[in-house]
Amino acid sequence: MNQEITNRLKELHTQLNKYNHQYYVLDQPSVPDAEYDRLMQELIKIESEYPELITADSPTQRIGGVALEAFDKVTHTTPMLSLANAFSEEDLRDFDRRVRQAIGDDVSYICELKIDGLAVSLQYENGVLVKGATRGDGVVGEDITTNLKTIRSVPLRLNEPYTFEVRGEAYMPKQSFEALNAARKENGEPLFANPRNAAAGSLRQLDPRIAAKRNLDIFLYGMGDFETEEITAHSEGLNFLEKNGLKVNRERKTCPTIEEVIQYVENWSAKRPSLNYEIDGIVIKVDRYEDQEQLGTTAKSPRWAIAYKFPAEEVLTRLIDIELSVGRTGVVTPTAILEPVQVAGTTVQRASLHNEDLIKEKDIRIGDYVIIRKAGDIIPEVVQVVLDKRADDLQPFAMPEHCPECDSELIRIGEEVALRCINPKCPAQIRESLIHFVSRNAMNIEGLGEKVIAQLYQHELVHSAVDLYSLTREQLIQLERMGEKSVANLLASIENSKKNSLEKLLFGLGIRHVGAGAAKVLAEHFETIDRLMEATEEQLLEVPDVGEKMVESIHMYFDNEDVQKVIQAFKDVGVNVEYLGPKRSEVAQADSVFQQKTVVLTGKLHQLTRSEAKAQIEALGGKVSGSVSKKTDLVIAGEDAGSKLVKAQELDIEIWDEDQLINELNG
């Protein structure tokens, strides 16, 4: 092969990537479109003649030609946590107060626009984009690499050969959204409700050619599992990303006081319509990484960040009915049925009324004109009744005395506000319990949506969750919209769910006060369902985050003879009832030098990846931190350890090399 051709290929890569960056990231095009097109055609011609020279970072690889059959799952190395919300100035001041109580008054914040799009992660290896994924549930997302490559502002190769994960928000600019909906209207296709939905729908297209036509864009706002000694604050991290060719929002600002944060929020609340993309709030983060580390996180969100959500749009409509539904725990929930109205970009026809007390408090009557809004721009709620528009003949609403599904008498338990049906054979409770049992955080049985479950119950094929494991092809094939492939996939998913770890089953059982997190803690602690069922009150209270209400609920549940029969039935059909997650040996932890120690990893490790080292240290009772402070007990210094090693020496902290770490991990 001619060396001249190889050199020319590299030149074209460099030129085209440079022009792409100038046009799509910097918004400063330096050559006419015709020149860009000429160079691209030259590159395409070379690659067609020498396909062995095509690389993943070639500018020609932005638009894939082959549609996928499905998206693969991707487990995030570091969870993509959601943020706690603030809705007022008072909420922001409370956040500031909590931060200062924890770390002192020497704190600085960084404010960023909250882009209304789809959260994604990009994985680079040696500077080349190798994987892109959705946020998913924060732990597991979907591999949408091919679609993310169609976004021109996503560099296929960085300026430097770094290996790291970067996170951001993919979005659809307002102009692209308007053009897309205009085209769909002309073709008689349903319109997208808002740019966020359009962006999410585009990135989840199995055919990347469709995503490529949607003209999406992206802003990157942070790094996942990546450390460098020179970066000590989030603001520095954003500058680092920008320096390496990644698109970062320029409207960010560091604010040394909460007063400046509030001023930033007020400014952008007013300037929001002037942007060519949608934002739904402002993200406020503690800037220094050391402060972030000290503040830590909860199970759901970091304590060092908060998202201020703009006040919800309020609109007027008429309440035409109140519908009652029965949940899996028997609670009867009233829902307002509304004349359709546009709120925050979507059509709203229903809004939760929560309970009878709220209806009485707001004096809501069927036929009233009401003001509604979306709480947090997501959940529609009735704000108030417009009394001036009320007709004289409207009557106060009264909740029924009997269950709307099974006609059993409704009761209140203790001082609960909710009305509850306690009939264990209530059809609505059984259906809702089944929907919960098969949900993703529970047994995760794909293909069992609400409509299929409703058919199964209607045809009397299931009366409880255990019955799902006795379903046959002959029974399922008779259901509406269930062909051979759907039936085969569903039966395979049901069979596969038998292998789930115990916490999935525990959460799926729907025990009151036992959420997904508590189910995991209980399963890991007791290891088998039999030990959990036999546990005393004292033994249960020894488990972290388990309180008296949960203990009472667990005992009441497992003391029920019908429940005991159900658990035995699960065992009989082969459902796993043991914890299969990583076991933390109490003996190993007690003898471990890492027990209750704070450890910092710095420099390059050769025998383990940083993630592997972190996992093994934590399994032995240690806590791995990202920064060195007076609270650090041990620093593991690999090759080229920098400022963290220096700081550890200054603070007289114990320091190991990698060989010492390996020896200790190997016992």
Side-chain angles (χ1 to χ4, degrees):
M1 186 183 299
N2 194 322
Q3 185 61 42
E4 186 178 340
I5 291 173
T6 304
N7 291 340
R8 179 55 181 161
L9 195 83
K10 291 180 180 178
E11 288 176 8
L12 289 170
H13 279 201
T14 302
Q15 283 181 287
L16 288 168
N17 284 332
K18 176 184 174 183
Y19 296 153
N20 248 327
H21 181 72
Q22 291 171 337
Y23 189 96
Y24 292 102
V25 177
L26 303 180
D27 198 21
Q28 297 172 351
S30 59
V31 295
D33 290 349
E35 174 63 10
Y36 181 91
D37 293 341
R38 184 187 68 78
L39 294 174
M40 179 63 80
Q41 289 304 312
E42 182 183 350
L43 177 59
I44 291 171
K45 185 173 185 296
I46 292 174
E47 289 184 347
S48 65
E49 293 177 4
Y50 303 95
E52 67 274 16
L53 294 180
I54 299 175
T55 58
D57 63 324
S58 170
T60 63
Q61 299 305 296
R62 287 196 176 276
I63 304 174
V66 180
L68 303 172
E69 290 186 7
F71 294 114
D72 293 331
K73 302 296 182 187
V74 175
T75 300
H76 301 298
T77 305
T78 304
M80 296 181 70
L81 298 176
S82 56
L83 298 181
N85 290 327
F87 297 98
S88 65
E89 179 181 324
E90 183 182 353
D91 290 344
L92 291 176
R93 293 190 185 280
D94 283 345
F95 169 70
D96 177 61
R97 176 181 50 76
R98 293 193 300 271
V99 168
R100 292 177 186 277
Q101 282 179 346
I103 64 173
D105 291 334
D106 182 20
V107 60
S108 179
Y109 298 107
I110 178 164
C111 297
E112 302 167 72
L113 303 184
K114 188 174 182 297
I115 311 302
D116 197 10
L118 181 73
V120 298
S121 74
L122 305 174
Q123 183 69 46
Y124 287 88
E125 289 184 6
N126 297 319
V128 177
L129 177 65
V130 294
K131 185 170 290 184
T134 62
R135 177 184 178 276
D137 63 2
V139 178
V140 178
E142 292 180 316
D143 187 337
I144 56 168
T145 309
T146 310
N147 286 346
L148 284 170
K149 281 185 174 182
T150 68
I151 300 177
R152 298 280 181 174
S153 50
V154 172
L156 302 182
R157 178 181 286 276
L158 302 174
N159 296 339
E160 299 291 337
Y162 287 110
T163 294
F164 62 56
E165 179 198 9
V166 63
R167 293 167 175 185
E169 198 85 5
Y171 67 94
M172 181 173 285
K174 292 178 181 177
Q175 188 175 358
S176 300
F177 174 70
E178 291 164 4
L180 173 62
N181 262 355
R184 292 178 72 85
K185 184 176 181 180
E186 189 174 331
N187 294 332
E189 297 173 314
L191 305 185
F192 283 108
N194 50 52
R196 178 182 64 247
N197 289 358
S202 301
L203 286 174
R204 296 197 75 258
Q205 290 286 335
L206 293 173
D207 187 345
R209 291 170 297 187
I210 297 175
K213 294 176 182 177
R214 299 282 174 85
N215 297 315
L216 300 178
D217 210 333
I218 198 169
F219 283 121
L220 286 311
Y221 55 65
M223 289 175 285
D225 192 16
F226 179 74
E227 285 187 31
T228 176
E229 304 294 339
E230 292 75 25
I231 301 175
T232 61
H234 182 64
S235 54
E236 295 172 7
L238 294 178
N239 294 338
F240 170 82
L241 294 180
E242 206 165 37
K243 181 181 176 183
N244 277 277
L246 292 152
K247 187 171 183 177
V248 179
N249 195 286
R250 299 171 187 171
E251 309 300 344
R252 61 192 185 272
K253 182 182 180 182
T254 51
C255 299
T257 67
I258 195 64
E259 300 300 334
E260 290 190 42
V261 169
I262 291 168
Q263 184 62 51
Y264 179 93
V265 168
E266 290 175 350
N267 286 344
W268 279 107
S269 294
K271 292 162 61 177
R272 177 184 180 187
S274 66
L275 295 166
N276 71 343
Y277 47 86
E278 294 284 357
I279 62 173
D280 60 351
I282 305 295
V283 174
I284 301 101
K285 300 173 183 173
V286 172
D287 194 22
R288 288 192 297 267
Y289 289 151
E290 185 174 351
D291 291 341
Q292 291 182 10
E293 187 72 34
Q294 188 173 342
L295 285 160
T297 66
T298 67
K300 294 182 179 179
S301 57
R303 294 190 179 94
W304 44 264
I306 199 165
Y308 173 84
K309 303 299 288 289
F310 291 131
E313 176 188 356
E314 296 185 347
V315 299
L316 180 72
T317 188
R318 185 168 169 269
L319 189 151
I320 56 180
D321 199 3
I322 294 178
E323 184 180 277
L324 302 171
S325 59
V326 183
R328 64 182 175 86
T329 61
V331 172
V332 179
T333 302
T335 299
I337 308 301
L338 309 163
E339 287 185 349
V341 63
Q342 282 280 314
V343 187
T346 60
T347 301
V348 172
Q349 293 178 271
R350 303 167 67 86
S352 175
L353 295 174
H354 301 290
N355 54 59
E356 184 180 19
D357 284 12
L358 181 139
I359 295 174
K360 287 180 177 178
E361 179 188 332
K362 295 185 177 182
D363 190 19
I364 297 170
R365 307 182 184 187
I366 296 173
D368 269 333
Y369 283 88
V370 295
I371 293 172
I372 66 166
R373 69 181 175 204
K374 284 187 179 179
D377 279 345
I378 298 172
I379 303 168
E381 66 176 0
V382 175
V383 180
Q384 68 183 67
V385 173
V386 182
L387 294 175
D388 291 345
K389 295 176 72 68
R390 172 176 284 172
D392 294 336
D393 59 346
L394 300 188
Q395 299 299 312
F397 180 79
M399 290 287 281
E401 295 180 356
H402 294 86
C403 174
E405 282 278 345
C406 68
D407 206 35
S408 298
E409 186 178 356
L410 299 178
I411 67 166
R412 292 180 191 264
I413 298 177
E415 297 181 358
E416 282 188 354
V417 173
L419 276 173
R420 192 183 297 272
C421 171
I422 59 171
N423 174 16
K425 296 183 179 179
C426 175
Q429 292 183 61
I430 294 172
R431 288 196 304 269
E432 292 299 322
S433 295
L434 287 168
I435 290 167
H436 173 74
F437 184 83
V438 305
S439 63
R440 182 170 58 185
N441 289 334
M443 295 300 277
N444 192 23
I445 301 178
E446 295 183 1
L448 267 183
E450 293 185 24
K451 291 182 179 178
V452 176
I453 285 175
Q455 287 190 74
L456 291 173
Y457 190 79
Q458 183 182 353
H459 288 78
E460 298 187 351
L461 297 177
V462 296
H463 300 91
S464 70
V466 178
D467 294 335
L468 294 171
Y469 295 95
S470 302
L471 291 172
T472 64
R473 175 204 166 274
E474 288 70 29
Q475 291 173 323
L476 293 173
I477 202 70
Q478 299 174 29
L479 302 183
E480 191 178 325
R481 296 187 179 180
M482 290 294 285
E484 290 288 355
K485 187 174 181 180
S486 298
V487 169
N489 289 341
L490 176 53
L491 288 173
S493 186
I494 291 172
E495 185 65 25
N496 193 51
S497 73
K498 293 179 181 180
K499 304 172 186 175
N500 285 337
S501 185
L502 173 59
E503 67 271 18
K504 292 282 192 179
L505 176 61
L506 275 184
F507 180 58
L509 291 175
I511 306 168
R512 288 188 70 199
H513 304 305
V514 178
K520 175 72 182 296
V521 171
L522 289 165
E524 185 174 353
H525 185 88
F526 291 103
E527 297 189 335
T528 72
I529 201 164
D530 289 337
R531 289 180 195 159
L532 175 59
M533 292 171 71
E534 294 164 2
T536 64
E537 181 179 340
E538 291 74 20
Q539 289 171 327
L540 284 166
L541 287 172
E542 288 175 2
V543 182
D545 302 324
V546 173
E548 291 182 0
K549 276 189 176 180
M550 194 187 298
V551 170
E552 182 182 353
S553 180
I554 291 169
H555 271 163
M556 187 182 298
Y557 184 81
F558 286 120
D559 283 346
N560 187 310
E561 289 186 9
D562 289 334
V563 168
Q564 294 168 16
K565 291 177 183 177
V566 167
I567 300 301
Q568 185 57 51
F570 276 125
K571 295 178 183 177
D572 292 342
V573 296
V575 173
N576 173 65
V577 291
E578 296 183 3
Y579 177 64
L580 304 178
K583 293 182 173 63
R584 301 185 178 194
S585 167
E586 294 178 4
V587 175
Q589 284 195 18
D591 292 341
S592 169
V593 296
F594 301 111
Q595 176 69 11
Q596 297 184 337
K597 296 289 182 65
T598 298
V599 183
V600 172
L601 299 166
T602 183
K604 295 177 184 176
L605 301 179
H606 296 285
Q607 301 177 64
L608 292 171
T609 65
R610 191 176 293 246
S611 297
E612 289 169 343
K614 179 181 178 183
Q616 291 191 42
I617 291 169
E618 289 179 343
L620 291 170
K623 176 190 173 185
V624 177
S625 171
S627 57
V628 176
S629 69
K630 293 178 181 178
K631 295 183 179 180
T632 305
D633 298 298
L634 174 65
V635 170
I636 312 296
E639 184 183 338
D640 297 329
S643 60
K644 292 180 184 178
L645 175 59
V646 174
K647 189 170 183 179
Q649 292 167 335
E650 291 172 353
L651 295 173
D652 198 25
I653 293 168
E654 185 176 358
I655 298 168
W656 291 3
D657 60 18
E658 185 176 0
D659 287 338
Q660 285 175 278
L661 170 65
I662 296 298
N663 287 338
E664 189 60 44
L665 292 177
N666 290 339

